[in-house]
Amino acid sequence: MESWQLRFDTLEALRLSSKGRLSYCSHWQEDEAALEGCVAPVELSPYCGWVLDSLSGQLAQEITPSGTSTPKQSTPLPKRASTEKIPPGSHRSSSPPSSTAPSETKENDHLSLLETNQEVVPAVLSSKVAKVEGCIRMYEEMHRLKAKERLRQRQEEQEQMVRAAYAQASEQLKRFDELRELKRHQEFQELQEVMEKSSKEAQGQQEKLKEEHRHRAKILNLKLREAEQQRQRQEELERLRKEEGQERLRRLYSIQEELLQLNQQIDPNYRHKDLPRIDLSAYSNRGNQICGLVSGLIRSTSERGFPTQADVASTERALQEMRGLISSMQQEITAALEEKKRKDEEEKKQKQKELEKKEQMKSQTPAPAQQSGEKQQKEGLQVKTEESIMQWYQQLQDAAEQCVAAFSEIANCKGNTEVKKIKTNLQKAATIPVSQISSISGSKLREVFDKINNLLSGKPVQTEGQTVSVTQHPQGLEFVCYKLAEKFVRHGEGEVSFHHDSAFPIAVVLSGIWELHPRVGDIFLAHLHKKCPYSVPFYPARKEGTSMEEYQRMLGYEVHDSKVEEQDHFLKRMSGMIRLYAAIIQLRWPYGNRQGAHPHGLSYGWRWLAQMLNLEPLADVTAMLLLDFLEVCGNALMKQYGIQFWKTMFFIQKSYIPRIEAVTSSGQMGCLSRLKNFVQKCLRAEEIPLPKGILTPSFWRT
């Protein structure tokens, strides 16, 4: 459509140009009439009359307004021109001149103006000019009409072409729309096919994933079942292991019981002093060593869990060794008895010599027993503790009771949450550092001491992320002193009873605290005397109306639900507390003030030993207490008291041990045998060995 529009615009521009206004006839050679007109002499056209009439009328109209002439002066047209007939063809073309009137009018106006300006009266044109002019006008009109007709035809053709082009364009547009619709349908179909294909693929993938999920679920279920079966197998194995461990533990206990019974068989035979040239102490020592090894093995296995088969094998080997030991001992005793029969006379001489030696030893009475020498010879040993010691014991118990009454508000704080929280924090601050005491290094021990000292001094300390101070409550100091002393005693009966070496780090810390805070030491002694009356020493007597359970508690036994603890456990606890007490009286805190005296030094230990030897011995207990006390504190007493201490050792060997033997049954000779061996070795070597685990000066540099 745009190309056609451009064509029309171009044609219109050409037509309006100066050359476009010219009329050309492409068929002029065929028109002979036109050529004849040009060659023939000029003649007036049959239209000249009409032309002249038009010109004359026009001139008259132009002249009248100018004032040069009037309508009356107008020249009449020739009659010939007006009356001349017009051929039929002229009538046909009479109407068209109306369309050309404007152009002719313009020319006439031009002529009239020219004539007016020149003030020339119009003259009658010559016939030839008029004819030529008429011909020219006619030709122009004819060509104009032909051009108009051709233009109309051309317009019609162009309109037809435009309509055809429009129709063709419409058809093409329809085809294009159809093609586009077809493509859209095809694309939609392809898209639908792609979507269906994708959907099928997605469904297939989903089915595949579902299948994989089912497969994985089956695998997981299998794994879960396997894990459950494995767990059940593990539980079964653990149950079997526990049962086997318990069985092995029972086996160990039975072996230990048999060993102890066999060892008791050794102890009575150890007293065969009348046999010639026989010393059964080696058998007793080895038996005690075997029992100690088995006891240590059982203790270590109980701490780590159940014993292993190797532990059972070790104890069985120990049992076999003990049996072999008893067999060898019995053989040796049998041989000695046979030799005794052959040498009766020699035995009588040995007895006489021994009696002489005993009389000499009795003349050398030890210092602790000098005050009660006459009682030993006449009336025997004491049954009750001296009155002054009992008064001191009662004063300590009263001080402990006053301390308990002093923090009654903290003790009975069930309804007060704030006081209860302070109580819990203070108790942790007092007991946790005591549990951290060990012989790892001197620096660690000093840190523990500083924590306890700062707490008792009123300084704030950190415990489990919280700041604690005894100043948070008016009764805080009394509560901390009581709980701290109680914790030290419990540490003695628990930790020291199993690990004898731990007595020294605990004792050195307590000694330093005792020196700076004497009230803690007094309450500690009160707790110790109540838990272990033999540390006074004091043998409680059963009063009228006192139940057996209460009396057993007074003796130091633990009674729960009318069940009294076993004798072995009781002896271990008493041993731990006596060892702690023996370590305290000989140790001092190395960083304290050495100018003052020890708050509870060796003089108290010497008094305890003297009072113990003045009391009637108890079966199993007295021998154990003396042995533990001498092993821990014997070296310090030897250095402090010299010859007096050795006199006491002779007294123990010659006089006190026989008294212990007199009250000891055959099944309670273990402790007594160890005491006899210890005293004999010390007297033979004239030296008391340093206790195991003593803190050396190098320890404090660690």
Side-chain angles (χ1 to χ4, degrees):
M1 295 298 290
E2 294 180 359
S3 61
W4 286 106
Q5 185 65 35
L6 291 173
R7 290 179 183 179
F8 281 117
D9 293 341
T10 304
L11 290 174
E12 184 66 21
L14 291 173
R15 189 180 65 79
L16 294 176
S17 64
S18 59
K19 290 186 178 182
R21 293 175 183 173
L22 298 178
S23 60
Y24 300 93
C25 183
S26 58
H27 305 286
W28 61 274
Q29 292 180 352
E30 297 177 0
D31 196 357
E32 296 180 356
L35 293 174
E36 289 178 357
C38 294
V39 176
V42 178
E43 294 181 356
L44 291 173
S45 173
Y47 297 99
C48 63
W50 176 74
V51 172
L52 291 175
D53 291 337
S54 299
L55 291 173
S56 60
Q58 206 169 23
L59 291 171
Q61 290 176 359
E62 293 176 355
I63 294 170
T64 301
S66 63
T68 57
S69 62
T70 59
K72 293 181 180 182
Q73 293 176 352
S74 63
T75 305
L77 294 174
K79 294 180 180 181
R80 186 176 179 275
S82 61
T83 58
E84 189 175 354
K85 294 182 180 180
I86 300 172
S90 63
H91 294 286
R92 253 184 335 183
S93 58
S94 60
S95 60
S98 63
S99 61
T100 59
S103 61
E104 293 176 356
T105 304
K106 290 179 182 180
E107 294 176 356
N108 294 333
D109 291 340
H110 179 69
L111 292 173
S112 62
L113 290 172
L114 181 60
E115 291 175 356
T116 303
N117 294 331
Q118 294 176 356
E119 295 180 356
V120 178
V121 178
V124 180
L125 299 174
S126 63
S127 61
K128 189 175 181 178
V129 174
K131 187 177 179 180
V132 172
E133 181 70 22
C135 290
I136 291 171
R137 297 293 181 181
M138 290 297 294
Y139 276 112
E140 289 180 354
E141 182 66 21
M142 289 173 63
H143 284 293
R144 188 182 66 78
L145 293 174
K146 288 179 180 180
K148 186 175 181 180
E149 183 65 21
R150 289 177 182 175
L151 181 61
R152 185 182 61 77
Q153 293 175 358
R154 188 68 176 270
Q155 288 179 348
E156 291 177 357
E157 291 175 359
Q158 292 295 329
E159 290 176 358
Q160 291 176 0
M161 291 174 65
V162 168
R163 283 193 295 273
Y166 178 75
Q168 185 179 1
S170 299
E171 291 297 327
Q172 289 180 355
L173 183 60
K174 288 179 181 180
R175 301 292 84 77
F176 177 75
D177 291 339
E178 291 175 357
L179 181 62
R180 186 176 63 181
E181 187 69 18
L182 178 61
K183 288 183 178 179
R184 188 175 65 81
H185 283 297
Q186 289 177 352
E187 290 176 356
F188 179 75
Q189 188 68 21
E190 291 176 357
L191 182 60
Q192 190 174 6
E193 291 176 357
V194 171
M195 291 177 65
E196 291 178 355
K197 185 177 179 181
S198 301
S199 178
K200 290 180 180 179
E201 291 178 356
Q203 290 178 356
Q205 188 71 19
Q206 189 175 6
E207 291 295 330
K208 185 177 179 181
L209 291 174
K210 287 181 180 179
E211 186 65 26
E212 291 179 357
H213 177 70
R214 287 193 291 270
H215 180 65
R216 290 179 181 177
K218 290 180 181 179
I219 294 174
L220 288 175
N221 289 332
L222 290 174
K223 289 183 178 180
L224 287 173
R225 285 197 292 271
E226 290 177 359
E228 183 65 21
Q229 294 174 358
Q230 183 70 18
R231 187 184 63 79
Q232 292 177 357
R233 286 195 294 270
Q234 291 291 339
E235 290 180 353
E236 184 67 20
L237 291 174
E238 184 67 19
R239 186 181 62 80
L240 293 175
R241 189 184 69 82
K242 287 183 178 179
E243 290 179 355
E244 292 175 357
Q246 291 175 355
E247 184 64 28
R248 287 194 292 268
L249 188 60
R250 285 193 291 271
R251 175 61 179 162
L252 288 180
Y253 286 148
S254 64
I255 291 173
Q256 185 185 22
E257 184 178 1
E258 187 175 356
L259 283 172
L260 292 174
Q261 291 176 357
L262 293 174
N263 192 37
Q264 289 174 1
Q265 294 177 10
I266 295 176
D267 289 340
N269 295 321
Y270 179 71
R271 290 183 293 173
H272 288 279
K273 296 180 181 180
D274 52 345
L275 295 177
R277 287 183 295 177
I278 184 171
D279 186 8
L280 302 179
S281 60
Y283 294 103
S284 178
N285 292 335
R286 184 55 187 164
N288 293 331
Q289 289 177 1
I290 293 173
C291 292
L293 290 174
V294 173
S295 299
L297 180 62
I298 293 175
R299 183 169 58 250
S300 62
T301 54
S302 63
E303 290 177 355
R304 68 171 183 264
F306 294 105
T308 61
Q309 192 63 35
D311 298 332
V312 177
S314 299
T315 55
E316 288 178 350
R317 287 194 298 270
L319 180 61
Q320 293 296 331
E321 185 179 356
M322 179 67 79
R323 289 172 179 172
L325 193 67
I326 291 176
S327 178
S328 300
M329 186 190 68
Q330 289 176 353
Q331 292 176 2
E332 188 174 350
I333 291 173
T334 302
L337 290 173
E338 292 177 355
E339 187 179 358
K340 178 185 176 183
K341 292 178 182 179
R342 293 191 303 266
K343 297 181 180 181
D344 291 335
E345 294 179 358
E346 295 179 0
E347 290 178 0
K348 291 179 181 180
K349 293 179 181 181
Q350 289 178 355
K351 288 181 179 179
Q352 290 177 358
K353 291 179 181 180
E354 288 178 359
L355 290 173
E356 291 176 358
K357 290 181 180 179
K358 287 182 179 180
E359 290 177 357
Q360 292 177 0
M361 294 300 299
K362 286 180 180 179
S363 61
Q364 298 176 355
T365 305
Q370 285 179 357
Q371 296 178 359
S372 59
E374 296 179 357
K375 293 182 180 179
Q376 292 173 12
Q377 294 175 0
K378 297 179 181 180
E379 302 176 0
L381 297 179
Q382 299 177 3
V383 179
K384 296 182 179 180
T385 307
E386 292 182 2
E387 188 65 26
S388 60
I389 296 177
M390 291 305 300
Q391 290 177 358
W392 172 65
Y393 164 79
Q394 191 61 43
Q395 289 175 0
L396 293 174
Q397 297 301 319
D398 294 341
E401 292 178 0
Q402 292 174 3
C403 183
V404 172
F407 62 85
S408 58
E409 183 179 347
I410 294 180
N412 303 320
C413 61
K414 295 181 179 180
N416 195 332
T417 307
E418 185 66 26
V419 177
K420 187 176 181 180
K421 183 178 180 181
I422 294 173
K423 173 186 175 182
T424 304
N425 293 335
L426 288 175
Q427 186 168 353
K428 289 180 180 179
T431 57
I432 290 177
V434 179
S435 302
Q436 295 173 348
I437 296 175
S438 65
S439 58
I440 297 175
S441 65
S443 59
K444 295 288 185 181
L445 205 60
R446 189 169 184 178
E447 290 179 3
V448 173
F449 176 85
D450 291 338
K451 286 182 181 179
I452 300 173
N453 183 34
N454 291 336
L455 180 65
L456 294 171
S457 300
K459 298 179 182 179
V461 295
Q462 291 292 328
T463 301
E464 295 184 352
Q466 295 184 356
T467 303
V468 184
S469 175
V470 294
T471 58
Q472 292 177 344
H473 195 276
Q475 300 177 357
L477 182 59
E478 295 291 332
F479 178 76
V480 169
C481 290
Y482 188 86
K483 290 298 178 182
L484 187 61
E486 185 181 39
K487 181 63 177 177
F488 273 114
V489 175
R490 288 182 179 177
H491 222 46
E493 69 174 336
E495 182 70 17
V496 180
S497 63
F498 287 102
H499 305 286
H500 294 168
D501 297 350
S502 63
F504 297 98
I506 299 173
V508 74
V509 173
L510 179 56
S511 177
I513 296 298
W514 197 336
E515 188 173 350
L516 296 175
H517 307 279
R519 186 161 180 76
V520 176
D522 294 341
I523 300 174
F524 166 78
L525 286 177
H527 278 292
L528 183 66
H529 293 166
K530 192 171 184 180
K531 285 274 187 180
C532 178
Y534 313 103
S535 61
V536 177
F538 165 53
Y539 298 157
R542 185 177 180 183
K543 299 179 181 180
E544 295 182 2
T546 305
S547 63
M548 180 56 68
E549 294 182 4
E550 186 64 27
Y551 179 63
Q552 287 171 341
R553 289 192 180 94
M554 292 171 62
L555 292 175
Y557 288 90
E558 290 183 348
V559 183
H560 299 288
D561 299 330
S562 301
K563 293 181 180 180
V564 184
E565 65 176 329
E566 296 179 356
Q567 185 70 10
D568 291 342
H569 189 264
F570 166 74
L571 292 176
K572 284 182 179 179
R573 290 195 305 108
M574 299 299 109
S575 173
M577 287 184 279
I578 288 297
R579 283 181 173 271
L580 178 61
Y581 180 69
I584 291 171
I585 62 178
Q586 63 175 314
L587 293 177
R588 296 194 68 177
W589 181 246
Y591 303 102
N593 184 11
R594 291 304 187 96
Q595 295 179 359
H598 193 293
H600 198 80
L602 286 171
S603 60
Y604 287 89
W606 183 255
R607 187 182 73 174
W608 181 89
L609 181 60
Q611 184 62 35
M612 194 70 170
L613 296 176
N614 288 334
L615 292 174
E616 286 288 346
L618 296 178
D620 213 7
V621 176
T622 304
M624 183 268 298
L625 295 177
L626 283 175
L627 177 61
D628 291 331
F629 187 85
L630 292 174
E631 282 183 349
V632 177
C633 194
N635 183 270
L637 291 174
M638 177 194 70
K639 294 178 180 179
Q640 180 74 17
Y641 295 99
I643 190 64
Q644 297 296 328
F645 175 78
W646 288 115
K647 289 180 180 181
T648 304
M649 293 293 288
F650 276 112
F651 174 78
I652 293 173
Q653 184 188 33
K654 298 301 179 180
S655 300
Y656 202 71
I657 289 178
R659 285 182 174 273
I660 299 175
E661 288 178 347
V663 296
T664 304
S665 63
S666 60
Q668 298 174 338
M669 288 293 182
C671 292
L672 180 59
S673 299
R674 291 193 293 272
L675 176 63
K676 290 169 68 176
N677 292 334
F678 178 79
V679 173
Q680 285 180 358
K681 288 180 181 179
C682 293
L683 289 173
R684 191 181 302 118
E686 296 183 357
E687 182 69 26
I688 305 293
L690 284 172
K692 295 180 180 180
I694 189 72
L695 301 180
T696 60
S698 61
F699 169 78
W700 300 103
R701 294 193 293 270
T702 59

